[in-house]
Amino acid sequence: MARIELKNIVKKYGDGFPAVNDVSIDIADGELLILVGPSGCGKSTLLRMIVGLEDITSGDLLIDGERVNDLAPRERDLAMVFQNYALYPHLTVGENIAFPLRLAHGKVSEEEVRSRVQRAADMLELNEHLDRKPANLSGGQRQRVAMGRAIVRDAKAFLFDEPLSNLDAKLRGQMRTEIARMQRSLATTTVYVTHDQTEAMTLGDRVAVLRKGVLQQVASPRELYEQPVNLFVAGFIGSPPMNFLPARVAGDRLQLPFCEVPAPAVIGAERRQGELLVVGVRPEHFDDVEVTEAPAGAVTFSAPVDVTEWLGNELYAYIPFEAAAETKEQLAELDRELDGESMRSQLVVTLDAMTSVRDGDTAQLWFDPDRMHVFDPSTGENLTRDEERAVAIGELSEKLRLRSLERAARSSGGRKEPMGART
Amino acid sequence: MGAMSRKEKGLWYLGALFIVLYALLPVAWIVSLSFKAESDLANRSFLPTNATGENYSGIFSGDGAELFLPALRNSVIVCLVATVIAVVLAMFAAYAIARLDFPGKRLVLTSALAVAVFPVITMVTPLFNLWRQIGLYDTIPGLVIPYLALTLPISIWTMSAFFRGIPWDMEQAAQVDGATSWQAFRKVIVPLAAPGVFTTAIIAFFIAWNDFVFGISLTSTSRAQPVPAALSSFTGSSYFVQPTGAISAAAVIVTIPVVLLALVFQRRIVAGLTNGAVKG
Ligand SMILES: Nc1ncnc2c1ncn2[C@@H]1O[C@H](COP(=O)(O)OP(=O)(O)OP(=O)(O)O)[C@@H](O)[C@H]1O
Ligand SMILES: [Mg+2]
């Protein structure tokens, strides 16, 4: 039960390298905030500063309005699930979960400890494993023990550092839903670190995207998807990632590799004649003319398909194109940063599984230019971002969050703290 | 390695059996000797014709007692003291080596190694002269100090290797769980480090217990003489009889603590206690 405020947080390690640079985020009570970004962008560092394992070089960290920069981890009363779980190997599962309670000398009676461990074990389905040692558990079970240790006491907030990164895809999906459900029912403020953008999009109320220690955007998943502030966020969110195409401004039109589109008014085409911009279109915003009729205003073009991948419910088609040397360099750089392996410049389109497009065909495709984004390649800034729309999306998702919290509170019988805190 | 075929397995067992026999045969022989009567010693048969305890009673209450019992006492005291000091010092050193980054870290380790491989015999003569000068000759501390030179380097090495393997994240996890630094150390680090400390202590004890060179050179009387040195000054019941039986009995007696230690702490020594602490 806490609000966590980060104000201009900076972390410089011994070598002067700023691992986290001027990050400010306000995390509301009961909110689930996701920290996401490529490897090495400072996610763990930020989390460790919040929990108190890492000194804050400058800036303020406030929990419930109180500055906690100089408090020891113990005094901050936050629970954390470590990237490697950090279970105590010499203790049984039950004792691992009970550990935080046992430390609170005498404050929690033996009986209370037992009942709370029992409740956590019920919740995480660890009942038959309580007497086993962590060494004998599977990855998923260890992960649940680590969660149990976090939820067993009434910490002010939960901090998760990539808790699912070691699980296989199926288990990851299950645990993800489980974590979302648990967070809702406990209504505890949570900061969740991941580099998996699916986790980020599905779990969080809001997502903070970090890049090289700098905060790019904090917004609801929907806003990140629809109104990214820059090339980096646009490329990071979504799978397969957004296509970036070189676009030359000519008159009031943009010349793309396979077609021309009207230049959106907001980019100020008349000031940018001849300039090279970057247009971003998501793969799922393309469609096959044969499957779906192109609506009015759509841009239709034909393109040679190199390779297709049929996934059952949809089909990916890869369409190579020649990019101008100047954008190619920059896009390759961006791709590297996003942990991608750009081998060639190609367009990826997600088509309906009904499509008859196959390898080597020339496909007739369309997309709606209203859904495309135009970026300034030198700054990466999204020129077509619609602030009003972004604010509207933000308000909507906040409303949805509060509603689901309310629903959770109702369904847990009005109990505010399901783990049975102060009895 | 993959699954072994039956034949491969059989060969492994055969090899293991050979090594075990090779190692245990002399031990069995000494045990057998220790139960032989004086007349029996050279009878060229493995088992005693008539098992007798006279060798044992000889060293505990008979002629050998005044030589053997003080030596046993000296050995126990010297080895325990040397082990405790070596382990405590090595613990601090290994902790620093495993946890901290300080200039000269490599130097500490390499010089420990250098001391460990230094031939013991070269230390004996200077120590003998020095100890005579400053009055440490034939005293308990006079043995403890050179024993530290034997045990400390190896203790530092084994313990720092062990400490490096401890998942120190645990300490931080404990702190987040609400532990003070002291609680985190006592409840998490100590139980994880204990097997390493025990293993080191046992190794150190064995090394000290088995020493002969320092024992024979730096002591002369039952004031400080340890068992291995005392055995060499055993005499038989008469000038013409070799004290083989008595020496065998004494050798069996001094082996017992070693075997006991190994058995009692076997479970402690077993590594792999830290498995499963982290994912993987
Ligand atoms: N103890 C340290 N000393 C110096 N630099 C460090 C230290 N720990 C981390 N860094 C640097 O800080 C940056 C951020 O590291 P951090 O562990 O926070 O990344 P991350 O986002 O959690 O990455 P991952 O997804 O791989 O876990 C990295 O560039 C890393 O090299
Ligand atoms: Mg990390």
Side-chain angles (χ1 to χ4, degrees):
Chain A
M1 305 299 112
R3 170 179 175 200
I4 302 175
E5 291 163 89
L6 313 179
K7 291 190 173 157
N8 308 98
I9 299 276
V10 175
K11 173 71 193 185
K12 286 200 172 84
Y13 280 113
D15 49 5
F17 173 78
V20 171
N21 205 349
D22 201 19
V23 168
S24 302
I25 309 176
D26 189 345
I27 307 162
D29 186 12
E31 188 178 21
L32 173 53
L33 180 93
I34 307 273
L35 278 178
V36 73
S39 198
C41 69
K43 307 179 294 286
S44 299
T45 306
L46 192 53
L47 205 65
R48 292 166 58 82
M49 280 194 285
I50 296 176
V51 81
L53 293 172
E54 210 77 72
D55 290 333
I56 297 171
T57 309
S58 74
D60 295 315
L61 174 65
L62 282 72
I63 298 179
D64 282 336
E66 191 190 334
R67 189 172 180 278
V68 297
N69 283 39
D70 304 319
L71 293 189
R74 186 167 56 93
E75 296 157 325
R76 297 191 192 186
D77 194 17
L78 307 173
M80 178 157 170
V81 173
F82 286 77
Q83 199 162 355
N84 58 15
Y85 307 153
L87 302 179
Y88 308 120
H90 56 294
L91 300 178
T92 61
V93 167
E95 281 306 308
N96 259 285
I97 297 177
F99 190 83
L101 300 175
R102 298 236 188 274
L103 286 173
H105 271 303
K107 275 189 226 124
V108 191
S109 70
E110 184 55 40
E111 210 168 305
E112 174 77 8
V113 168
R114 217 163 319 134
S115 82
R116 284 216 228 170
V117 169
Q118 196 54 51
R119 224 171 313 161
D122 285 341
M123 197 162 183
L124 296 161
E125 294 173 22
L126 283 169
N127 269 318
E128 64 256 52
H129 306 301
L130 284 178
D131 293 325
R132 299 175 69 191
K133 288 276 172 71
N136 306 327
L137 300 183
S138 74
Q141 289 164 341
R142 282 181 209 173
Q143 199 277 335
R144 293 206 297 265
V145 178
M147 302 259 291
R149 198 173 61 184
I151 63 171
V152 76
R153 75 197 155 108
D154 304 292
K156 287 185 181 155
F158 297 148
L159 307 173
F160 295 104
D161 193 351
E162 308 204 23
L164 307 182
S165 62
N166 196 43
L167 306 183
D168 62 57
K170 186 152 171 260
L171 199 54
R172 198 153 55 210
Q174 286 169 3
M175 285 310 295
R176 197 169 65 210
T177 332
E178 212 39 57
I179 289 177
R181 187 172 302 138
M182 193 185 77
Q183 200 272 338
R184 282 281 170 264
S185 73
L186 298 180
T188 306
T189 316
T190 303
V191 184
Y192 186 107
V193 165
T194 178
H195 64 251
D196 179 314
Q197 57 104 6
T198 322
E199 258 169 52
M201 297 299 276
T202 51
L203 265 180
D205 295 315
R206 280 193 307 157
V207 179
V209 184
L210 278 175
R211 172 202 195 183
K212 293 181 180 165
V214 180
L215 187 63
Q216 305 290 304
Q217 187 172 6
V218 197
S220 67
R222 180 133 185 221
E223 184 182 335
L224 289 182
Y225 182 83
E226 289 184 14
Q227 305 290 340
V229 292
N230 59 23
L231 267 177
F232 181 84
V233 176
F236 191 78
I237 302 295
S239 164
M242 187 186 271
N243 293 295
F244 294 123
L245 306 168
R248 194 168 297 279
V249 186
D252 62 349
R253 303 191 62 83
L254 295 173
Q255 292 172 335
L256 302 181
F258 299 104
C259 56
E260 272 192 12
V261 294
V266 287
I267 70 167
E270 55 290 346
R271 284 181 289 110
R272 296 178 181 269
Q273 286 306 310
E275 255 181 63
L276 201 54
L277 300 176
V278 172
V279 158
V281 190
R282 296 205 177 272
E284 51 274 32
H285 292 158
F286 289 95
D287 258 311
D288 186 352
V289 172
E290 284 167 29
V291 177
T292 341
E293 196 69 20
V299 174
T300 309
F301 65 98
S302 62
V305 173
D306 183 23
V307 178
T308 57
E309 287 170 1
W310 186 76
L311 298 164
N313 61 334
E314 57 194 10
L315 177 137
Y316 297 156
Y318 296 87
I319 303 168
F321 65 85
E322 274 315 307
E326 32 187 328
T327 39
K328 202 169 177 175
E329 191 53 38
Q330 210 214 345
L331 291 179
E333 166 71 31
L334 179 70
D335 201 60
R336 262 197 303 283
E337 241 180 74
L338 292 170
D339 297 336
E341 60 265 13
S342 100
M343 287 145 296
R344 64 196 67 190
S345 45
Q346 61 182 3
L347 187 67
V348 184
V349 301
T350 310
L351 302 178
D352 192 288
M354 297 289 290
T355 183
S356 57
V357 171
R358 292 292 177 267
D359 296 9
D361 293 351
T362 296
Q364 293 288 322
L365 305 173
W366 65 267
F367 72 95
D368 181 357
D370 280 351
R371 305 184 86 165
M372 77 182 190
H373 298 282
V374 182
F375 301 92
D376 181 333
S378 54
T379 60
E381 188 198 347
N382 183 354
L383 302 169
T384 47
R385 184 175 138 91
D386 184 346
E387 285 300 336
E388 270 172 40
R389 175 102 187 92
V391 170
I393 296 173
E395 279 167 1
L396 177 69
S397 56
E398 177 64 11
K399 216 158 65 199
L400 287 174
R401 179 177 84 82
L402 293 176
R403 209 166 68 193
S404 76
L405 276 183
E406 249 170 54
R407 202 172 51 228
R410 262 204 315 276
S411 70
S412 63
R415 252 190 314 162
K416 198 145 184 347
E417 279 150 306
M419 280 315 294
R422 285 109 211 176
T423 38
Chain B
M1 204 155 44
M4 283 189 289
S5 70
R6 277 181 78 91
K7 200 174 146 203
E8 229 175 315
K9 231 176 181 169
L11 283 175
W12 274 106
Y13 275 122
L14 210 67
L17 193 69
F18 175 74
I19 293 171
V20 169
L21 280 181
Y22 181 80
L24 286 186
L25 192 66
V27 179
W29 195 352
I30 280 212
V31 172
S32 145
L33 274 179
S34 73
F35 285 109
K36 282 182 176 178
E38 223 170 275
S39 53
D40 225 8
L41 281 173
N43 69 352
R44 297 183 169 231
S45 80
F46 185 74
L47 293 174
T49 37
N50 232 337
T52 154
E54 69 185 37
N55 290 322
Y56 288 95
S57 54
I59 57 168
F60 278 112
S61 51
D63 310 333
E66 71 219 49
L67 205 55
F68 183 67
L69 291 181
L72 199 58
R73 186 206 62 204
N74 292 337
S75 261
V76 170
I77 292 175
V78 171
C79 293
L80 281 183
V81 171
T83 303
V84 169
I85 295 177
V87 166
V88 170
L89 290 182
M91 205 152 62
F92 290 128
Y95 183 87
I97 287 166
R99 291 301 304 279
L100 310 175
D101 240 337
F102 56 90
K105 187 161 138 177
R106 292 197 63 84
L107 189 75
V108 173
L109 276 177
T110 33
S111 56
L113 188 64
V115 172
V117 300
F118 204 71
V120 168
I121 201 74
T122 51
M123 283 190 270
V124 168
T125 318
L127 274 182
F128 177 76
N129 286 326
L130 184 66
W131 271 199
R132 306 260 307 208
Q133 299 275 326
I134 62 176
L136 277 177
Y137 181 75
D138 201 21
T139 61
I140 299 264
L143 266 191
V144 169
I145 293 169
Y147 279 7
L148 283 180
L150 291 181
T151 53
L152 202 47
I154 190 93
S155 303
I156 291 176
W157 269 84
T158 46
M159 231 181 310
S160 57
F162 200 91
F163 279 11
R164 280 210 195 100
I166 291 183
W168 293 98
D169 283 13
M170 301 287 123
E171 206 177 30
Q172 299 189 337
Q175 281 174 8
V176 173
D177 280 343
T180 58
S181 304
W182 169 241
Q183 280 177 318
F185 181 73
R186 194 171 55 83
K187 298 205 166 190
V188 177
I189 298 304
V190 169
L192 290 179
V197 175
F198 271 105
T199 312
T200 311
I202 289 166
I203 293 174
F205 185 83
F206 288 172
I207 290 175
W209 189 255
N210 288 337
D211 166 76
F212 178 72
V213 176
F214 284 125
I216 194 83
S217 331
L218 301 180
T219 61
S220 58
T221 68
S222 57
R223 261 179 77 198
Q225 205 169 38
V227 174
L231 290 188
S232 70
S233 44
F234 266 26
T235 50
S237 51
S238 78
Y239 184 77
F240 301 100
V241 182
Q242 288 290 321
T244 314
I247 289 179
S248 304
V252 171
I253 295 294
V254 295
T255 315
I256 289 173
V258 176
V259 174
L260 275 185
L261 270 181
L263 287 181
V264 169
F265 292 111
Q266 196 180 26
R267 284 168 52 93
R268 288 275 181 185
I269 301 173
V270 174
L273 192 73
T274 55
N275 282 354
V278 296
K279 65 182 165 190

